[in-house]
Amino acid sequence: MVVMSATTLGTLELAALLTVARLGNDAYGLAVRRDLTERTGRDYSVGAVYTTLQRLEDKGFVTSRASDPLPVRGGRSRRHFTLTGAGAHALREAERHTASIWGGIGTSIRPEPA
Amino acid sequence: MLHVTPRMRDCIGAGARARVTAPRTESPPLPERVLLRLGVDPDFTDAVLGDLAEEYALRALRDGAGTARWWYSREVIRSAPHFLRSSFRYACRYERVRLAAFLGALVLTALAVLITLSARDGPPARLAGASDTVIVNSREPVQLPVQVLDAAGHVLHITGVRYQWVSGAPLHMSAAGRVACEQRGDALVRASFGALRESFLLRCRPIRRFVDWRGGLWLAVGDSAQELPIRAVGVDGTPETMLAGSAIVRDSDIASLRGLRVHPKAPGATLVDVWVGGIVDVIPITVSKRVSTSDALRPFEFFASPLRLSSGQTRRWHIPVGSYFVSFRSDTAASATAAALTLSTVGATCSRFGDAYNYFCLAAKDAALVISAPGGTSGAREFSGYLAVRRN
């Protein structure tokens, strides 16, 4: 039996959570979006990225804080995101699920290593 | 367990809005200001706007302002659904209702426009021309102006109206309604479109030319309107008074047209273009302002005075350097040889212009107009008349 819980992540949520984990202190919306675009080849809108990060925060996988206002942003702050313990747990669970799904797939299907 | 964030407040309130300040580098395009009014969550709006501004500044430096603006507008539109989602999710009940009402009004307006446009033109219901009588002043072929209308009176832009001569003067007219009036005459014509029929009186009044207007129309500021003096000559050489056309004044600050009446407005000169029967007439209009003395007359000012002199009396009016139209009239007795006031000049040259009462004068320095009453041996006598001096 598979229990569907708040730890279930969508594709973009998983990608965004990994990006936050990877960028560390530099994980603010614009940087997350650029990293996602580079790695996935898809052009996500700014609104879509923030909606996803907000959902992750609502689930407790990240926390956010506002930086000081910056002139280049028209006097607005950057919103930095940080991985929480629950978020790290969710990533481990997602990796385990993925490995379980890929298990038993022949080498002809498996993607080439990067 | 769902983690409740500070953003999931009960009611942010109508007063809490994201700061919408323009980037320091370039001004944000209009779509931002329009779309972002719908956002309620200030943190979300602030973060997205900040990212947009930061990336906009970078792109403006790297790719140019035009490309950056295009990118910015596109991103605002792409982010709009997320603003709405954030608004509906985090706003208080009042804000959600207001936003839903706004979106509903937007959708209803769009629907209303679509329905109006699609239901605008109905099927042909009747034929209508300019009136029951059509006047043609042109000697060249012209198209008769019958149109097809729907029940609501909208003009349907469709062709296929057929014309037929019914009675009256012979006409050179095609079935499609091209008519050439070579001579004066009236004819009854019927126009038809499917089952729709309409008859009208076609009055051919071809004109050859307009009567030449020397000097044009002169008006004074504050005076009542005057009729535009349009006089045309028909192909048979006789005056033609049944005219249909249009007139337009070139400078409506000086005079205005209401129908064929010219209303003076301010001192100056302008022209009225009159189109009748494919012929253009240009009528000069001069509007002058009345002043009380002649000493300091300026362009487009005039001085006028009744004259009353005793026998042998002389009166003098000084005028500045310039050109003038002078109207002078002496009230004479029944006999044309009776004594009358005379006009002479000092330092100016005048020649008759138009009729016996009007002069065109050129004044040099220290010029003056002199009116003299004849001296007589039969006793004192009063002479009267009228003098008007208009500077060009």
Side-chain angles (χ1 to χ4, degrees):
Chain A
M1 182 178 73
V2 176
V3 177
M4 300 301 292
S5 68
T7 59
T8 305
L9 292 170
T11 306
L12 183 55
E13 286 179 339
L14 177 60
L17 198 58
L18 283 167
T19 303
V20 169
R22 184 167 38 249
L23 293 179
N25 291 334
D26 291 330
Y28 69 102
L30 193 59
V32 170
R33 178 172 167 269
R34 283 177 187 158
D35 192 81
L36 281 172
T37 301
E38 277 176 27
R39 291 180 182 274
T40 66
R42 295 184 62 178
D43 183 19
Y44 295 102
S45 71
V46 175
V49 169
Y50 271 102
T51 295
T52 304
L53 290 170
Q54 200 167 62
R55 275 206 298 266
L56 291 173
E57 188 171 10
D58 293 343
K59 292 178 180 179
F61 297 158
V62 298
T63 57
S64 67
R65 60 174 176 80
S67 71
D68 291 332
L70 297 171
V72 72
R73 294 173 67 87
R76 302 178 185 89
S77 307
R78 280 179 181 164
R79 183 154 288 279
H80 290 261
F81 294 85
T82 308
L83 193 69
T84 63
H89 176 75
L91 283 176
R92 284 194 293 273
E93 284 292 304
E95 188 181 22
R96 190 173 62 77
H97 288 151
T98 303
S100 168
I101 291 169
W102 277 100
I105 299 297
T107 54
S108 62
I109 298 292
R110 205 175 272 278
E112 295 288 333
Chain B
M1 184 179 76
L2 190 64
H3 177 64
V4 177
T5 69
R7 274 193 296 278
M8 294 176 70
R9 294 183 277 272
D10 286 335
C11 181
I12 295 171
R17 288 287 178 266
R19 293 190 308 278
V20 184
T21 57
R24 300 293 171 85
T25 51
E26 298 281 343
S27 311
L30 179 63
E32 174 199 2
R33 294 192 292 276
V34 173
L35 292 173
L36 295 181
R37 286 183 192 280
L38 303 177
V40 174
D41 180 10
D43 291 338
F44 181 87
T45 306
D46 197 62
V48 173
L49 281 182
D51 274 18
L52 287 174
E54 189 175 340
E55 177 112 7
Y56 177 90
L58 174 67
R59 285 175 181 262
L61 284 171
R62 186 185 69 197
D63 306 325
T67 305
R69 283 176 181 268
W70 166 246
W71 171 87
Y72 196 102
S73 300
R74 192 192 68 157
E75 282 303 308
V76 167
I77 293 169
R78 290 173 73 198
S79 299
H82 300 279
F83 282 112
L84 289 176
R85 176 198 168 275
S86 173
S87 302
F88 276 113
R89 184 151 190 202
Y90 296 109
C92 66
R93 193 173 188 172
Y94 167 76
E95 296 279 356
R96 282 185 223 164
V97 168
R98 192 172 71 173
L99 182 59
F102 172 79
L103 291 174
L106 208 62
V107 169
L108 284 174
T109 303
L111 277 174
V113 169
L114 279 172
I115 290 169
T116 302
L117 287 175
S118 63
R120 192 173 181 273
D121 290 340
R126 59 190 174 95
L127 298 176
S131 64
D132 294 331
T133 299
V134 175
I135 298 172
V136 175
N137 296 119
S138 173
R139 289 184 291 169
E140 300 296 321
V142 295
Q143 178 65 43
L144 292 175
V146 175
Q147 295 172 314
V148 183
L149 309 181
D150 64 11
H154 299 130
V155 175
L156 303 177
H157 300 285
I158 51 179
T159 58
V161 177
R162 287 287 164 258
Y163 297 82
Q164 183 185 14
W165 174 91
V166 176
S167 63
L171 291 175
H172 291 286
M173 185 180 70
S174 69
R178 296 279 294 177
V179 63
C181 286
E182 295 175 352
Q183 56 189 14
R184 228 166 176 263
D186 297 336
L188 188 65
V189 174
R190 180 181 298 129
S192 61
F193 182 83
L196 302 174
R197 299 272 190 277
E198 197 72 32
S199 296
F200 57 91
L201 184 64
L202 176 62
R203 313 196 80 157
C204 279
R205 298 289 186 270
I207 62 171
R208 183 188 300 167
R209 60 179 175 86
F210 286 102
V211 172
D212 184 28
W213 257 98
R214 292 198 297 172
L217 193 62
W218 176 55
L219 303 157
V221 175
D223 278 358
S224 53
Q226 289 189 37
E227 188 93 0
L228 203 59
I230 301 173
R231 289 169 179 53
V233 177
V235 291
D236 55 3
T238 60
E240 183 54 69
T241 57
M242 190 174 290
L243 303 172
S246 60
I248 186 166
V249 63
R250 294 191 190 180
D251 189 342
S252 56
D253 289 337
I254 294 172
S256 62
L257 265 182
R258 277 168 226 158
L260 286 179
R261 296 186 66 77
V262 183
H263 296 255
K265 292 175 73 175
T270 185
L271 300 168
V272 173
D273 298 302
V274 179
W275 288 274
V276 176
I279 302 175
V280 178
D281 191 19
V282 181
I283 302 175
I285 305 291
T286 305
V287 178
S288 299
K289 176 185 161 187
R290 185 168 190 159
V291 295
S292 57
T293 64
S294 63
D295 300 44
L297 274 172
R298 292 185 292 182
F300 302 112
E301 287 183 347
F302 76 97
F303 162 81
S305 173
L307 301 170
R308 189 167 293 281
L309 285 79
S310 305
S311 295
Q313 190 179 9
T314 299
R315 284 186 65 184
R316 184 179 288 234
W317 286 267
H318 291 277
I319 53 177
V321 175
S323 65
Y324 297 83
F325 284 111
V326 176
S327 295
F328 164 69
R329 191 181 70 248
S330 176
D331 298 333
T332 60
S335 168
T337 59
L341 295 172
T342 57
L343 169 68
S344 59
T345 61
V346 173
T349 306
C350 293
S351 56
R352 284 192 190 276
F353 178 84
D355 54 31
Y357 304 116
N358 295 304
Y359 301 83
F360 178 76
C361 300
L362 289 171
K365 191 180 175 185
D366 298 324
L369 300 173
V370 182
I371 302 293
S372 305
T377 57
S378 57
R381 189 183 157 186
E382 288 285 321
F383 293 87
S384 62
Y386 178 83
L387 175 69
V389 184
R390 173 165 61 103
R391 184 168 175 187
N392 298 318

